[in-house]
Amino acid sequence: MVAYGVFTSRKEKNRQRYRSDKFYRGTFTIVVIVLLAQVFVVLAAGALFVEAKKIEPETRAIELRLTQLAREEEQYAPLLRKLGILASLKPLIVNRTPATRFISNIEEALFANEQVGLIELKLSNHFDPNDPNSKDDFTILITGAIKAASLNPTAVLTDFTKTLAERLPKGANVAIARNAVGQGVEAVVPFDLRIHYVSQ
């Protein structure tokens, strides 16, 4: 240790203590580290503040857009619900064969054959409108008549049934429920046909 006297300056004393005293040196090192850490924290906070200022307008714009989208979604909620229902019904609508098409085909077959006339047509539909996956399922009962002047009413009905089956969409089953059998005295011979259809 270097000796110093009464007239040694305070600066020189501190320097001598720093060189020789471990506690003094350690305390000084801690103070320097704390000061450097504070400087680093201030610099980091400043950098974050600057970045936050840059990002803030973008964040506000995004929040505003999200609020606007939420309002629009709420406004169009009923329409979106209806579109969802229509989308779920699309396969059913595309694949449907409505009973009106069958009736139209039956009318065309009747008009094409002068010997056969229509008395009554009954439709029973088993389609479930509440089930999007429900298939077309209906039965048509036809009550008709064949002019007794025909040589063989049964043969006329058989030909008519065959022609009708060709006109109807695939999957239709045409069956004779009551054959046209004449007694020879009637002006017309009645018959019944049953058409059953289930969509594929």
Side-chain angles (χ1 to χ4, degrees), residues 100 102-112 118 121 164 167:
T100 50
F102 273 78
I103 294 170
S104 174
N105 291 345
I106 292 166
E107 288 174 346
E108 287 174 9
L110 287 166
F111 288 137
L118 177 67
L121 187 145
L164 181 60
R167 285 178 179 266

Side-chain angles (χ1 to χ4, degrees), residues 149-194:
S150 303
L151 297 174
N152 189 349
T154 304
V156 172
L157 180 59
T158 304
D159 291 342
F160 174 71
T161 304
K162 186 178 177 184
T163 305
L164 181 60
E166 290 170 357
R167 285 178 179 266
L168 296 176
K170 189 179 178 182
N173 183 18
V174 183
I176 299 172
R178 179 175 58 157
N179 210 335
V181 179
Q183 303 297 326
V185 291
E186 302 101 334
V188 291
V189 180
F191 67 88
D192 291 328
L193 289 180
R194 183 177 179 275

Side-chain angles (χ1 to χ4, degrees), residues 15 20 24 28 31 33 41 44-45 57 60 68 72 91 99 102 107 126 139 144 146 159 163 170 183 193 198:
R15 189 180 298 156
S20 60
Y24 189 78
F28 183 75
V31 170
I33 290 170
V41 168
R60 273 201 216 118
Q68 187 180 357
E72 287 177 4
F102 273 78
E107 288 174 346
H126 312 291
T139 304
I146 295 173
D159 291 342
T163 305
K170 189 179 178 182
Q183 303 297 326
L193 289 180
V198 179

